[in-house]
Amino acid sequence: MLHLVTILLHCLPLAMGHYDICKSWVTTDNGPSWEFYACQPRAMRMKDYALVRVDPAGITCGDPPERFCTHENPYLCSDECDASNPDLAHPPKLMFDTEDEGLATYWQSVTWSRYPEPLLANITLSWNKSIELTDDIVITFEYGRPTIMMLEKSLDNGRTWHPYQYYADDCMEAFGMPARRVRDLSTTSANRVLCTEEYSRWVGSKKEKNVRFEVRDRFAIFAGPDLKNMDNLYTRLESAKGLKDFFTVTDLRMRLLRPALGGTYVQRENLYKYFYAVSNIEVIGRCKCNLHANLCTFKEGSLQCECEHNTTGQDCGKCKKNFRSRSWRAGSYLPLPNGSPNACAAAGSAFGNCECYGHSNRCSYIDFLNVVTCVSCKHNTRGQHCQHCRLGFYRNGSAELDDENVCIECNCNQIGSVHDRCNETGYCECKEGATGPKCDDCLPDYYWRQGCFPNVCDEELLICQNGGTCHQNQRCICPAGYKGVLCEQSKCDSESQDCDSASSTYLSLPALLLSALGLQLRCSLDF
Ligand SMILES: *[C@@H]1O[C@H](CO)[C@@H](O)[C@H](O)[C@H]1NC(C)=O
Ligand SMILES: *[C@@H]1O[C@H](CO)[C@@H](O)[C@H](O)[C@H]1NC(C)=O
Ligand SMILES: *[C@@H]1O[C@H](CO)[C@@H](O)[C@H](O)[C@H]1NC(C)=O
Ligand SMILES: *[C@@H]1O[C@H](CO)[C@@H](O)[C@H](O)[C@H]1NC(C)=O
Ligand SMILES: *[C@@H]1O[C@H](CO)[C@@H](O)[C@H](O)[C@H]1NC(C)=O
Ligand SMILES: [Ca+2]
């Protein structure tokens, strides 16, 4: 019972009823109506929704079957990993199952038989959805924690990766970084990427199994010990640049770089005791819904926010169609305690009749013209209603007028085109000789060299004479004794005296090579 109470207490700050409703039906002086609030989904066990990948291929033990032993029992190497036997197999899915009492199930790598070549493994978790961490990431290693590893994260579904935390028994040696502890960070450095030695030193494999990414300790910098002052954390999440994003991920990757050694050096004569074994990866977080949803459901293989406030998209990241009279904004935790919904508004409702197609939040009345016009149109639009594209942009045919992608940059080649404007299908106006939608190509009889220039020589009409060769359509390389643009002139014609010696003096490098080749050919013919 006592145990249960501690667990409940531990979970309390994160489960607390903060921002858990998006709207409520209230009665005001003007009668009943909806009142809207900033809202977010509850934290969940995110490992249940992750796609996992273990790299490189062949890193999982058991194919072929292999023996291993433990640091505690290094000379009894009778344990076996065999992928074809369910009782002896250690596939990746065992990092995500529910542990039975006392009996750990785990993914296991091959042993370090290729020492001194490093034993490297990547474990990648992908959600195809941005999630916000709300508690520590805890990775549980059986048979000892790695002596060097790294945690990486992606915010764009795995296209780009960034270091999240470094772990080593000697940070300076492994990464050239001083060892630091999250507990020592301050309010200005709460999102610093650091190297810690706390989870990598050998203390016996049974004593300490967990490697942590300390989310709670970082939260505590603002919310105080036990996260009692969450209001302060939420305030800081709104105001401190990059802080929210620091706790947001779409993918996580554990890069295992050196296994537990059980001592200070690797025993070459017994490599069966060096490997990785992970029994659990705990990731607690919530779907990022930009404070526009309090529910997140698993649909068609992906997590999806159930958007309110007339927003839509996987993260409620845009306004629903016909609700784009001002541009989309994330909800805000502020002002406390209910926050601001920053809901999308129906077209025409916000500013009389001035429609800005969601590209502007502001209209202004121009006195001498007697018109209301949108101010500072975004997304490369312009015009009274932000209904045109700025110069240098063209209309995206497959996008609605209220789409953020409605204007596409012309991207005209600066050298090849007359100016940086284009027509409605994105075609630029080309200078002479240039062609292609962006004017970055040349017409057939032209060659590219900082612009298009007419060919000097080619294979059809402007053929180099007398055995000359055409170099990139720019010039003929003439054989000895010939000159002229197309090698059409014999040097002996004009400088009748001494043309033999003149020609040998002016032999170009290719010509020399050619004559050397000719010499060789002749020699081989002689034999
Ligand atoms: C692990 O991932 C990193 C990029 O995050 C990559 O550079 C490295 O080659 C990968 N290692 C393995 C063993 O696949
Ligand atoms: C990722 O999520 C989006 C939006 O829900 C979905 O359209 C897409 O098919 C998903 N991709 C994968 C690889 O699951
Ligand atoms: C969203 O649009 C509906 C339909 O017009 C409206 O009833 C509702 O109040 C709107 N919600 C918000 C948060 O503006
Ligand atoms: C045109 O708009 C569509 C719909 O929003 C978008 O998917 C597409 O990426 C846009 N095209 C370009 C080139 O931006
Ligand atoms: C844009 O220019 C290209 C090339 O000159 C032409 O083929 C296309 O029809 C033009 N599009 C429009 C809408 O004028
Ligand atoms: Ca397990």
Side-chain angles (χ1 to χ4, degrees), residues 273-383:
K273 59 179 180 173
Y274 305 111
F275 56 87
Y276 307 106
V278 178
S279 56
N280 195 42
I281 300 177
E282 203 62 63
V283 181
I284 310 282
R286 65 165 62 95
C287 290
K288 171 183 169 157
C289 302
N290 286 300
L291 295 174
H292 289 312
N294 60 357
L295 281 178
C296 186
T297 51
F298 196 59
K299 271 194 287 204
E300 290 146 24
S302 285
L303 288 165
Q304 175 92 43
C305 301
E306 301 278 343
C307 303
E308 304 263 1
H309 302 157
N310 291 314
T311 61
T312 185
Q314 210 187 11
D315 302 351
C316 310
K318 53 185 184 180
C319 291
K320 269 206 303 248
K321 222 174 149 177
N322 300 326
F323 288 91
R324 292 174 185 166
S325 68
R326 58 187 152 189
S327 31
W328 174 91
R329 281 163 70 199
S332 168
Y333 289 118
L334 304 176
L336 300 165
N338 287 329
S340 318
N342 292 337
C344 293
S349 72
F351 315 101
N353 275 326
C354 182
E355 167 74 274
C356 301
Y357 296 104
H359 304 305
S360 167
N361 282 329
R362 227 147 46 84
C363 288
S364 136
Y365 175 67
I366 303 178
D367 208 9
F368 66 93
L369 292 175
N370 190 27
V371 291
V372 178
T373 178
C374 306
V375 177
S376 7
C377 297
K378 290 194 282 191
H379 312 133
N380 305 310
T381 61
R382 63 177 179 91

Side-chain angles (χ1 to χ4, degrees), residues 140-208:
T140 308
F141 289 88
E142 306 295 320
Y143 306 113
R145 301 175 294 184
T147 46
I148 307 181
M149 73 170 264
M150 217 183 131
L151 186 64
E152 290 185 325
K153 75 161 194 174
S154 173
L155 254 172
D156 54 11
N157 294 319
R159 274 184 288 281
T160 57
W161 290 91
H162 311 279
Y164 216 7
Q165 189 143 306
Y166 297 85
Y167 302 86
D169 54 358
D170 184 337
C171 281
M172 202 36 100
E173 182 199 80
F175 297 111
M177 297 169 80
R180 301 191 60 163
R181 294 184 313 174
V182 171
R183 286 195 289 287
D184 301 333
L185 292 176
S186 69
T187 50
T188 51
S189 60
N191 55 355
R192 177 162 300 173
V193 173
L194 50 78
C195 182
T196 172
E197 295 179 352
E198 274 186 85
Y199 307 101
S200 311
R201 294 214 197 92
W202 178 252
V203 288
S205 65
K206 301 243 165 51
K207 194 146 165 260
E208 251 316 336

